[in-house]
Amino acid sequence: MKTIVLDAGKHENIELCANEIKNGNLVAFPTETVYGLGTNALDEKSVTKIFSIKGRPEDNPLIVHVSSIEEVKPLVKAIPEIFGKLTDIYWPGPLTLIMQKSDIIPDNVTAGLKTVAIRMPAHPAALALIRASGSPLAAPSANPSGRPSPTKASHVVNDIGGRIQYILDGGDCDVGIESTVLDVSGDTPKILRPGYVTYDELKDLLENVDIAGTEMASDKDKTEDAATPKSPGMKYRHYAPKAPLTAVIGTPEKTAEYIIARMNDDTAALMFDDFTISHPNIISFGHSEDYSTQASNLFDALRKADDLNVSFIYAQVPPEEGLGLAVANRIKKAAGKKEMIYQ
Ligand code: TXA
Ligand code: MG
């Protein structure tokens, strides 16, 4: 199959892709976070194709994308009390909400869970595509499972070109890392995946918010998470470049010193702009205190490191505060547990 890259700004291209989805196929499209690989969320057979193209484990559920708040009602058992408070501020935008699912959602979308993840993306092309398709879209990030998420149409071409008919090109994704996943299906809202909407913001709005899998998680949650990970996607090694990545954690001064001492022809590094030295294999991905620039450059920087065909990659990790938490989370996942160095 020859993949065609289409301008996402043109109405006729949205129509073409909506028809592709109505025919039970997949389309890659831009969102404000990362590119998604979408199909009709209410059609079990179409959804199966997502798992096979991505090589995604069947126990990892998908996010259902809607284009309006009204579309949520038939997809869930009940609208949680805090839903309006959250969507008033964050929808459309990078916040995914986990709620009790209704029966119209096929089991493969939620990997058999009783809950469903729903978000309304902010990119105009994503909203137009959902509307024109006439159904909510199940869409994971458009990368093969385990690899860095795509933030440009060219990333999608490299990753799954030849395997889908159309990629809607909406330019570079602004946010650059995936949405915050917030479970609002239980008593206390809980962040299952940190993202652009930060813990601090949500805490200010909701007062009571938990967070899974970091030092902010209560001891009880940590034990529960270890037994049954609530966001199944977070248990896998993720976002990984081909060469092993070492996440170097500590002050920017110390981590820069550690990495610079190890640079050679066979090594690449992702470093903060203000700590970079001149070296062909060093990729700067933002100022040490500018987490939002780091977020938008991170996945592209990991792909650039891959293109250098080196055997080792190092990355400076920002502190786990504000949006730095989500950036640090992605770098640590990309490294896997064994490859973290604390300076
Ligand atoms: O920004 C984003 O969220 C992007 C764009 C395309 O919207 N999508 C995305 O999808 O990152 P994906 O499939 O790469 O990640 C979805 C995450 C996974 O960690 C998955 O386990 C979790 O959401 N998830 C989905 N449904 C869930 C559920 N019912 N309960 C808990 N976690 C769920
Ligand atoms: Mg993903």
Side-chain angles (χ1 to χ4, degrees):
M1 185 187 299
K2 175 140 178 41
T3 300
I4 303 168
V5 179
L6 300 166
D7 179 351
K10 292 206 167 117
H11 178 70
E12 63 264 32
N13 293 339
I14 299 285
E15 286 299 323
L16 198 62
C17 289
N19 279 329
E20 182 71 0
I21 287 170
K22 285 179 191 161
N23 289 332
N25 296 316
L26 314 183
V27 168
F29 63 97
T31 81
E32 77 283 22
T33 58
V34 300
Y35 275 75
L37 179 64
T39 199
N40 182 352
L42 305 182
D43 185 55
E44 187 170 8
K45 238 175 106 189
S46 310
V47 170
T48 311
K49 296 180 188 172
I50 292 180
F51 287 90
S52 69
I53 290 197
K54 277 185 63 93
R56 184 177 175 106
E58 277 167 20
D59 65 352
N60 192 3
L62 305 173
I63 296 173
V64 175
H65 296 69
V66 295
S67 62
S68 70
I69 290 184
E70 294 70 60
E71 284 162 58
V72 175
K73 216 170 164 193
L75 307 176
V76 298
K77 273 230 166 88
I79 300 275
E81 225 180 277
I82 55 171
F83 178 85
K85 213 174 183 181
L86 288 161
T87 54
D88 276 355
I89 297 181
Y90 295 111
W91 279 19
L95 179 69
T96 295
L97 297 175
I98 308 277
M99 293 170 274
Q100 299 294 334
K101 90 178 200 53
S102 75
D103 292 340
I104 66 166
I105 311 252
D107 281 341
N108 59 353
V109 170
T110 62
L113 295 176
K114 291 200 164 73
T115 53
V116 59
I118 305 183
R119 106 170 174 98
M120 179 171 162
H123 198 293
L127 294 169
L129 181 68
I130 301 165
R131 270 183 216 121
S133 304
S135 63
L137 300 184
S141 48
N143 51 290
S145 218
R147 308 267 301 127
S149 301
T151 54
K152 298 168 185 283
S154 62
H155 294 164
V156 185
V157 175
N158 289 338
D159 282 355
I160 54 170
R163 307 203 59 198
I164 55 173
Q165 189 73 67
Y166 301 120
I167 297 170
L168 280 171
D169 183 351
D172 294 359
C173 301
D174 286 343
V175 171
I177 53 171
E178 304 83 351
S179 60
T180 303
V181 176
L182 182 70
D183 186 350
V184 291
S185 70
D187 291 340
T188 308
K190 183 171 178 179
I191 297 175
L192 302 184
R193 177 176 71 181
Y196 196 73
V197 177
T198 64
Y199 170 77
D200 304 314
E201 277 176 79
L202 291 171
K203 200 162 170 61
D204 279 350
L205 183 72
L206 304 173
E207 277 153 36
N208 209 1
V209 185
D210 242 320
I211 182 157
T214 76
E215 57 267 32
M216 282 179 236
S218 65
D219 287 343
K220 173 176 159 282
D221 280 334
K222 277 185 189 157
T223 330
E224 277 178 2
D225 287 342
T228 44
K230 271 198 96 186
S231 186
M234 297 313 278
K235 76 183 176 201
Y236 296 106
R237 180 159 184 239
H238 235 100
Y239 319 113
K242 289 176 205 130
L245 174 88
T246 302
V248 190
I249 298 160
T251 63
E253 289 79 13
K254 285 202 161 162
T255 55
E257 193 188 321
Y258 180 92
I259 293 171
I260 289 165
R262 283 158 183 80
M263 285 309 295
N264 58 43
D265 289 351
D266 202 23
T267 302
L270 272 60
M271 295 188 71
F272 303 136
D273 298 359
D274 42 332
F275 288 88
T276 299
I277 54 157
S278 168
H279 187 290
N281 292 358
I282 292 183
I283 301 148
S284 4
F285 71 114
H287 188 279
S288 57
E289 286 168 9
D290 182 357
Y291 307 138
S292 92
T293 301
Q294 292 169 25
S296 52
N297 290 333
L298 178 65
F299 289 132
D300 187 52
L302 286 171
R303 286 164 183 268
K304 283 187 174 136
D306 256 351
D307 294 343
L308 292 168
N309 281 315
V310 291
S311 305
F312 306 96
I313 305 173
Y314 291 96
Q316 287 189 281
V317 179
E320 297 191 341
E321 61 183 29
L323 182 53
L325 176 67
V327 176
N329 167 274
R330 302 307 188 270
I331 298 175
K332 287 177 172 182
K333 292 272 166 205
K337 279 213 176 78
K338 285 197 199 108
E339 278 151 321
M340 287 203 257
I341 304 281
Y342 294 85
Q343 280 300 294

